[in-house]
Amino acid sequence: MTTVVAVAGSLRDHSYTRLALRRVLDAAAEAGADTDLLDLRTFDLPPLDPDVEEQGDSAAFARCVREADAVVLGTPMYHGSYAGVLKNALDHCGFDEFEDTTVGLLGVAGGAFPITALEHLRSVCRALDAWVLPHQAAIPRASSAFSDGEFVDEGIENRVATLGRRIVEYANIEPDPRTFESDQNVGG
């Protein structure tokens, strides 16, 4: 069975990112996957210190990502990019977790479309030799996109659910050859 994990890059109690990721995971489960939501609020992930082998729950978090067949990264948009807590979580991972792994992207914004956040995540994943789905889901004006925890726009909900179906469909795609970026990305 295909295993899909979603990483919720939001620490808010009432997170639109987590709400949307749950819909992604529901669609992935409907497509036959075993799913899990990795809520960064439940992991002790201090700022990465590359001189320290393991910090807090970094080994457990990295293992969850590494053991998944596919990963969905969900983030709110902050200052035109993705959330710092998600960046830190990704810094605790590397090629062992992402190389040849299918990754889906979901971005949530309080205002306009979170396209730059999604593009920044796409670049990071490509540098880690992940295979990033062409389809991505963007939720603009998030406070008006939900009512009582449910989507109010059928088109956006369909796009989010499609992400869940596609992540299962392409979870075991044959990997592409390594990228130039990954050969140059050996860490600090």
Side-chain angles (χ1 to χ4, degrees), residues 35-141:
T35 66
D36 192 18
L37 179 68
L38 303 180
D39 186 340
L40 292 180
R41 297 175 306 166
T42 66
F43 290 92
D44 173 25
L45 295 174
L48 178 70
D49 180 347
D51 291 331
V52 177
E53 182 125 350
E54 289 182 19
Q55 296 176 260
D57 296 330
S58 63
F61 176 77
R63 183 177 54 256
C64 290
V65 173
R66 185 175 50 255
E67 291 176 353
D69 296 307
V71 178
V72 179
L73 301 176
T75 186
M77 185 169 77
Y78 290 121
H79 307 299
S81 194
Y82 60 100
V85 294
L86 181 56
K87 171 69 168 119
N88 186 58
L90 295 175
D91 286 346
H92 283 284
C93 296
F95 291 108
D96 289 343
E97 288 72 38
F98 282 98
E99 188 172 29
D100 300 335
T101 299
T102 300
V103 176
L105 303 176
L106 177 134
V108 176
F113 283 90
I115 299 305
T116 54
L118 293 168
E119 290 305 314
H120 294 170
L121 275 175
R122 185 172 297 279
S123 293
V124 168
C125 292
R126 285 181 44 198
L128 290 169
D129 275 335
W131 190 85
V132 186
L133 287 173
H135 178 82
Q136 60 190 15
I139 303 170
R141 295 172 290 288

